[in-house]
Amino acid sequence: MKKNNIILIGFMGVGKGRLARALAAETGFFALDTDDLLESFENRKIKKIFRQEGEPYFRNLEKRVAHWLEIHVSSSIISTGGGFFAVENLNRIGTVIFLKADFETILQEIFEHPKAAKKIKKRPLLQDTEKARALFDARQPLYADKADMVIDVTGRPSQDIASEIINHLKFAPLAEA
Ligand code: S3P
């Protein structure tokens, strides 16, 4: 049986973490983030993990996180790193929602953000815009393939997207403890 988690997938900077927090507030679930889990497990930042160990090591950590989520986590909204969708057990962790926006919009939001420099610096795969665009193009069909629901998030407030998801999934908020 599928677990009752909601998993948000999609490209870097599309707003997975922000939406996870909005959904958590609406549902009474807690929000978790796979990058945060992996960083606390490793006690170092993603940028450092990529630099010191390389990308394959990072992808293995994602698999470990995915395994742990499948076994131990329920009733949670899980935001993921942009490459996490590739883990073999993704669909067993919960209902997968692909947040879709076009590349130009994503870039614009990142570059116009007050903390743009920080947002770019912490993402090793966003250092070269053309390489990032190629990665974006290659991943779009792969995200869609894994998704139980695809939602266009371009220019929409998180609150609005959260309501659409809750309605679509006919999601009953948890009673207050
Ligand atoms: C990655 C996305 C990042 C982070 C890592 C790799 C990717 O997460 O997991 O830098 O492969 O797209 P965000 O999607 O939160 O930026």
Side-chain angles (χ1 to χ4, degrees):
M1 209 185 84
K2 218 187 217 335
K3 301 190 78 169
N4 70 341
N5 300 302
I6 294 178
I7 310 166
L8 307 178
I9 64 169
F11 203 66
M12 292 178 268
V14 79
K16 292 161 290 188
R18 197 170 51 227
L19 178 63
R21 291 187 290 277
L23 277 167
E26 287 289 316
T27 58
F29 279 17
F30 280 91
L32 294 177
D33 181 84
T34 58
D35 283 340
D36 289 348
L37 290 168
L38 185 154
E39 284 186 341
S40 61
F41 177 70
E42 279 282 302
N43 196 21
R44 51 186 165 167
K45 295 285 183 192
I46 285 170
K47 195 180 153 204
K48 205 166 187 180
I49 300 172
F50 263 74
R51 194 179 64 232
Q52 293 181 335
E53 314 288 349
E55 186 172 345
Y57 180 91
F58 175 80
R59 299 300 170 201
N60 260 324
L61 288 173
E62 290 190 314
K63 287 181 195 160
R64 288 188 73 162
V65 170
H67 183 65
W68 179 82
L69 289 170
E70 183 184 348
I71 294 177
H72 298 291
V73 173
S74 56
S75 304
S76 298
I77 313 291
I78 304 168
S79 54
T80 62
F84 189 83
F85 74 96
V87 298
E88 166 273 324
N89 63 338
L90 187 77
N91 295 85
R92 292 201 297 278
I93 301 172
T95 300
V96 177
I97 304 181
F98 167 28
L99 311 189
K100 198 176 158 90
D102 60 71
F103 187 69
E104 302 309 331
T105 308
I106 291 174
L107 268 202
Q108 193 181 346
E109 278 192 14
I110 292 176
F111 279 90
E112 285 175 3
H113 195 279
K115 290 183 182 156
K118 195 173 161 211
K119 283 184 169 287
I120 296 163
K121 210 167 151 213
K122 74 171 193 179
R123 292 180 162 104
L125 301 180
L126 207 55
Q127 302 310 303
D128 176 324
T129 307
E130 283 320 304
K131 278 191 187 153
R133 186 190 300 275
L135 190 61
F136 177 89
D137 289 341
R139 279 183 180 170
Q140 293 311 291
L142 306 177
Y143 288 134
D145 220 44
K146 294 268 180 129
D148 296 303
M149 175 183 182
V150 181
I151 186 159
D152 190 336
V153 300
T154 311
R156 295 175 64 188
S158 301
Q159 195 54 47
D160 204 46
I161 309 164
S163 303
E164 186 182 333
I165 292 172
I166 288 167
N167 288 335
H168 181 87
L169 300 181
K170 302 194 181 11
F171 199 88
L174 284 186
E176 294 221 0

